Amino acid sequence: AFEEVVTSTGMNNVWVMGAGKARRNPEKLMVPKILRAMLSQLIHTFRYIVIDGPAPRVCLESAELAPVADAVLLVLRRKISGKRDVDETIRLIRNRGAEVLGCVLVDA
């Protein structure tokens, strides 16, 4: 049951599933087939599922999240995210068959 892996945030209808303990081979969890199976159980309970991951150029395994998502929203850091890096990240995501919904620019 999802209650075993998610925690209420105290905000109305917002739940969180943490990363848990560090694993020896975290890339095994990134296999699209395994992710799809996990998410297929959650979509019956939750209206929206947001997956947060590191930039694909920093952690290539996170690019494997893209195909299991309906869309990707990039978070860019002002003065840090260069155009070339952003273009390459979008290319990586699109090459995996995912749609880039847009970008959010943050100051941090």
Side-chain angles (χ1 to χ4, degrees), residues 26-39:
E27 66 278 359
K28 288 185 179 180
L29 294 175
M30 303 302 257
V31 176
K33 185 176 178 179
I34 295 170
L35 285 172
R36 281 191 182 96
M38 230 176 16
L39 291 172

Side-chain angles (χ1 to χ4, degrees), residues 24-100:
R24 185 177 299 247
N25 297 323
E27 66 278 359
K28 288 185 179 180
L29 294 175
M30 303 302 257
V31 176
K33 185 176 178 179
I34 295 170
L35 285 172
R36 281 191 182 96
M38 230 176 16
L39 291 172
S40 71
Q41 294 175 18
L42 294 174
I43 63 172
H44 297 294
T45 304
F46 298 101
R47 186 172 182 183
Y48 300 105
I49 299 172
V50 178
I51 304 169
D52 182 22
R57 292 212 42 191
V58 174
C59 176
L60 287 177
E61 289 84 8
S62 71
E64 299 306 321
L65 291 170
V68 300
D70 290 330
V72 175
L73 180 64
L74 295 177
V75 178
L76 309 175
R77 295 176 65 191
R78 191 169 74 94
K79 297 184 181 179
I80 294 176
S81 300
K83 182 177 179 350
R84 190 176 325 159
D85 290 337
V86 173
D87 289 343
E88 178 66 15
T89 299
I90 291 171
R91 188 186 64 74
L92 282 169
I93 291 168
R94 287 184 174 157
N95 282 347
R96 284 170 173 75
E99 175 188 355
V100 177

